[in-house]
Amino acid sequence: MLIARSPEECHLYMELRPCSCGEDGFTWSRHRQERRGDRLVSVYQGHCSRCSAQRRFEFEVPAVPPPPPAYGGAEPSRIVDPGEFYAVSAELAESVPDDPATLAPDDLDEAYGLIEMSVAALAEVLKFVPAGADAVSPDAFFTPDGRRVYQAHPAEFGRDRLEALLADRRRRLDAYERASSR
Ligand SMILES: [Zn+2]
């Protein structure tokens, strides 16, 4: 059973696992939560938009997830690896302009949400740095995609480098926050 820490983490996991036909992303048509013994299970079902194959994901989820925007609490993810979180964070950050002033007010909210999730995804990478260590361990990458990201940019996974990048993304989020409240 996949163990997820929040609905956001379930959604991200499904987005990162393409259908066997190669189609990225999955828009489920049915979602329900059920009790199995003392576990709470979140079930997503639907069909691939390209090949129509039936897809189904089951996650064990906590009764009380962390408040959004967050993929989880202090503990690292067990289903999305640090290389995947790093790539997701970069992709989200690149999808919005540096300067919020260039956006129409209607687009600002959406862009703010994307930057917010970019910050949350990068914070997840840091959770994989063990206490007292100065980098994510190469063993922490448990998916082929995540390992590829690590092999392409191993230096990006040092604690100092990640903290500097996170501070930078948070400054950008602050700029968006100021722009949104204008
Ligand atoms: Zn498919």
Side-chain angles (χ1 to χ4, degrees):
M1 173 80 63
L2 298 164
I3 299 183
R5 300 166 300 160
S6 65
E8 285 73 21
E9 190 166 53
C10 296
H11 302 165
L12 179 61
Y13 179 88
M14 293 188 287
E15 206 177 297
L16 292 173
R17 302 290 174 266
C19 176
S20 54
C21 76
E23 177 72 1
D24 281 329
F26 169 57
T27 310
W28 58 92
S29 50
R30 279 195 291 165
H31 172 237
R32 66 174 191 280
Q33 286 200 338
E34 55 192 51
R35 286 243 154 244
R36 288 189 204 159
D38 56 356
R39 298 191 302 184
L40 183 62
V41 179
S42 195
V43 184
Y44 296 84
Q45 278 177 286
H47 292 92
C48 171
S49 58
R50 182 163 145 205
C51 75
S52 305
Q54 193 169 51
R55 304 196 71 198
R56 176 189 169 95
F57 293 89
E58 291 191 356
F59 301 90
E60 185 177 336
V61 292
V64 185
Y71 290 102
E75 78 287 8
S77 177
R78 293 161 73 168
I79 56 174
V80 177
D81 86 9
E84 292 180 301
F85 273 121
Y86 183 91
V88 165
S89 176
E91 201 176 301
L92 288 168
E94 282 158 20
S95 68
V96 299
D98 275 336
D99 181 2
T102 60
L103 285 173
D106 284 353
D107 297 329
L108 203 54
D109 274 356
E110 194 194 338
Y112 180 81
L114 295 173
I115 283 286
E116 201 173 43
M117 291 323 282
S118 170
V119 167
L122 197 58
E124 289 303 324
V125 182
L126 270 160
K127 294 175 189 173
F128 286 92
V129 180
D134 57 8
V136 179
S137 154
D139 306 337
F141 300 85
F142 53 80
T143 69
D145 282 350
R147 275 194 286 270
R148 267 194 290 278
V149 174
Y150 178 68
Q151 279 153 10
H153 320 274
E156 292 294 301
F157 292 87
R159 183 192 289 278
D160 291 351
R161 174 75 193 121
L162 289 168
E163 279 173 352
L165 191 59
L166 184 58
D168 197 61
R169 294 261 161 85
R170 285 200 169 123
R171 275 193 290 277
R172 225 170 130 194
L173 180 61
D174 289 345
Y176 267 82
E177 196 159 5
R178 283 194 301 276
S180 306
S181 58
R182 268 204 301 270

